[in-house]
Amino acid sequence: EAAVTQSPRSKVAVTGGKVTLSCHQTNNHDYMYWYRQDTGHGLRLIHYSYVADSTEKGDIPDGYKASRPSQENFSLILELASLSQTAVYFCASSDWGGAFYEQYFGPGTRLTVL
Amino acid sequence: GDSVTQKEGLVTLTEGLPVMLNCTYQTIYSNAFLFWYVHYLNESPRLLLKSSTDNKRTEHQGFHATLHKSSSSFHLQKSSAQLSDSALYYCALGGSNAKLTFGKGTKLSVKS
């Protein structure tokens, strides 16, 4: 069974503060993704990566950075958190390209920026 | 660019009635994959169905969908809704790159 874990599961941050969301997968998958989920917008891709030490911009990358230090770990960094970044964030992994293969999602991190 | 449209944000049904959630898409990629993901409350989103074959019915866990490239549609159906089907359903499109494009999601609420 594929396994993707995220930490923390929930976080409250202050506006202007730095937030780091972590994702770990034990699937031996090459591809990892960060999405945000908002009511009325669905799942939107922020950043993704297909190899360690390299990241790619997704559809809504502004205000976010990503880091892939190893195949197993993928972090999402909010350098200056803003109210508009309050959302639920999901990490996912997939074998090969996620456009053709199943993506396995983590449990999500609920981020509230005050 | 690629896009997915799920017109209904919320579908409310009585248990036992048929389910149909609409999904249409736009892409220039002729070999696109279409997916349905389901997201139950307090769980992770997970794959329900996928297809890349035109006019072939795909089934899983009582749900089915048929990809129609002529109309760019991939509607999700079930003959009889159950209370346990209440969830958020996402249609997604995979094209020529490694990314999925998700629709905005349809919340299915099944009542007794």
Side-chain angles (χ1 to χ4, degrees):
Chain A
E1 180 74 23
V4 179
T5 56
Q6 294 181 232
S7 62
R9 293 294 311 278
S10 68
K11 183 172 180 64
V12 178
V14 295
T15 305
K18 182 176 180 178
V19 177
T20 300
L21 307 182
S22 300
C23 178
H24 179 78
Q25 55 107 350
T26 57
N27 307 324
N28 199 33
H29 286 164
D30 288 327
Y31 286 78
M32 295 187 74
Y33 305 81
W34 276 107
Y35 295 92
R36 66 176 281 172
Q37 183 185 52
D38 303 272
T39 303
H41 290 280
L43 289 166
R44 293 182 290 172
L45 182 64
I46 305 170
H47 286 288
Y48 67 103
S49 168
Y50 54 85
V51 67
D53 296 321
S54 178
T55 63
E56 305 292 329
K57 292 181 179 179
D59 300 320
I60 54 164
D62 292 346
Y64 302 93
K65 290 184 179 179
S67 173
R68 181 94 181 267
S70 64
Q71 187 194 39
E72 299 80 17
N73 296 294
F74 191 35
S75 297
L76 185 69
I77 303 144
L78 290 66
E79 295 277 5
L80 294 169
S82 67
L83 294 174
S84 65
Q85 293 177 313
T86 292
V88 179
Y89 292 84
F90 287 97
C91 176
S93 75
S94 74
D95 205 357
W96 299 94
F100 311 109
Y101 294 87
E102 178 176 0
Q103 291 192 13
Y104 294 87
F105 284 82
T109 295
R110 183 174 297 276
L111 175 65
T112 303
V113 183
L114 302 175
Chain B
D2 294 342
S3 67
V4 174
T5 301
Q6 294 180 252
K7 287 187 177 179
E8 309 102 351
L10 171 66
V11 171
T12 302
L13 289 173
T14 301
E15 191 177 17
L17 291 181
V19 178
M20 181 160 174
L21 306 184
N22 291 307
C23 173
T24 57
Y25 64 93
Q26 286 189 320
T27 182
I28 61 171
Y29 187 58
S30 59
N31 291 329
F33 272 69
L34 271 296
F35 302 78
W36 277 101
Y37 279 81
V38 59
H39 187 195
Y40 295 102
L41 190 64
N42 297 323
E43 295 185 12
S44 306
R46 63 174 187 258
L47 179 67
L48 181 59
L49 293 171
K50 76 174 185 181
S51 179
S52 65
T53 306
D54 198 12
N55 298 316
K56 181 180 177 181
R57 176 172 162 142
T58 301
E59 299 190 40
H60 187 60
Q61 294 184 330
F63 287 90
H64 63 92
T66 302
L67 177 58
H68 293 294
K69 292 186 178 182
S70 60
S71 58
S72 298
S73 67
F74 190 56
H75 305 320
L76 183 67
Q77 300 183 65
K78 188 178 184 185
S79 59
S80 176
Q82 298 177 299
L83 295 175
S84 58
D85 294 329
S86 295
L88 184 55
Y89 292 81
Y90 288 107
C91 183
L93 165 68
S96 59
N97 55 30
K99 303 186 299 181
L100 283 182
T101 299
F102 284 86
K104 293 183 178 181
T106 298
K107 182 178 180 180
L108 176 64
S109 178
V110 182
K111 301 186 183 302
S112 59

